[in-house]
Amino acid sequence: MIKYEHKPVQAARGTDGLVIPKTQEDGWELVKQTRGVLRSTLDFRRPKKPCHGS
């Protein structure tokens, strides 16, 4: 089973078009976008890196 780490990002309205591609370049996938009056909340996820225990 794949485990994900989540990252909520707040962006001013109109700037989400800049934030989304930049965050996706870092390996994050956009899961949900909630538009508010002044801000949008963007929820991203990416697979957690496996922990190598000793």
Side-chain angles (χ1 to χ4, degrees):
M1 182 169 122
I2 299 174
K3 295 190 180 206
Y4 291 95
E5 55 183 322
H6 293 267
K7 175 181 179 177
V9 176
Q10 298 263 329
R13 283 293 300 262
T15 63
D16 48 348
L18 302 171
V19 173
I20 292 171
K22 182 168 177 19
T23 309
Q24 288 176 331
E25 284 177 11
D26 293 335
W28 294 91
E29 168 191 8
L30 180 63
V31 179
K32 183 179 171 187
Q33 182 175 3
T34 307
R35 293 181 183 256
V37 177
L38 299 175
R39 273 184 256 166
S40 295
T41 302
L42 309 167
D43 292 319
F44 291 93
R45 74 175 185 182
R46 71 177 173 190
K48 277 190 175 183
K49 295 182 174 124
C51 295
H52 296 286
S54 44

